[in-house]
Amino acid sequence: MDLQNRLEELNIPIKQKLPDSSVLEPFLVFGGLSTDDQPSAKFGRAIDDSMFQIDIFLSIDIGKVEAEEIRNKAKQLIGKRRNVTSELLIDNTIGRETYHIPIRISELIY
């Protein structure tokens, strides 16, 4: 839960699953954790490639610059990791147009 504690500094409600369209943004959703142990066969030792996704949904009314600032602050709060990717999208996943910031954290665990 350390990651959740750090991201609380964004002052954006954190959800464990995508809420229905009656919940207005901003909100942040912790996605699932996916793992792949296939690299173990290549290297002969236990290796687990894990990927965790965080999705931030923001009102389209805040503007792109503020959305970028929130994305950058979230990445800063996540901390230094080698494999963090993010993007800023405009989509309607929740039934209306929003800024959607998916942040993917990938780690190799030996």
Side-chain angles (χ1 to χ4, degrees), residues 63-75:
K64 189 173 184 176
V65 171
E66 188 173 346
E68 281 286 352
E69 288 173 356
I70 291 169
R71 179 178 80 121
N72 292 336
K73 182 163 185 178
K75 287 176 57 178

Side-chain angles (χ1 to χ4, degrees), residues 15-66:
K15 310 290 184 187
Q16 298 304 316
K17 65 177 189 171
L18 189 64
D20 65 40
S21 61
S22 68
V23 177
L24 297 178
E25 55 282 339
F27 56 85
L28 181 152
V29 180
F30 278 139
L33 173 67
S34 64
T35 62
D36 178 6
D37 64 358
Q38 190 173 6
S40 296
K42 295 178 185 173
F43 298 105
R45 55 193 262 200
I47 299 172
D48 194 15
D49 186 4
S50 299
M51 200 277 290
F52 180 71
Q53 182 163 317
I54 299 165
D55 294 282
I56 302 173
F57 291 89
L58 305 169
S59 169
I60 199 75
D61 297 332
I62 69 167
K64 189 173 184 176
V65 171
E66 188 173 346

Side-chain angles (χ1 to χ4, degrees), residues 55-106:
D55 294 282
I56 302 173
F57 291 89
L58 305 169
S59 169
I60 199 75
D61 297 332
I62 69 167
K64 189 173 184 176
V65 171
E66 188 173 346
E68 281 286 352
E69 288 173 356
I70 291 169
R71 179 178 80 121
N72 292 336
K73 182 163 185 178
K75 287 176 57 178
Q76 180 182 34
L77 292 170
I78 288 168
K80 292 187 179 193
R81 287 184 160 77
R82 286 180 290 151
N83 299 315
V84 176
T85 60
S86 67
E87 53 192 318
L88 176 61
L89 308 169
I90 296 175
D91 79 6
N92 63 354
T93 301
I94 59 173
R96 62 186 163 271
E97 200 167 80
T98 64
Y99 284 115
H100 176 195
I101 304 169
I103 301 173
R104 294 171 201 88
I105 304 167
S106 178

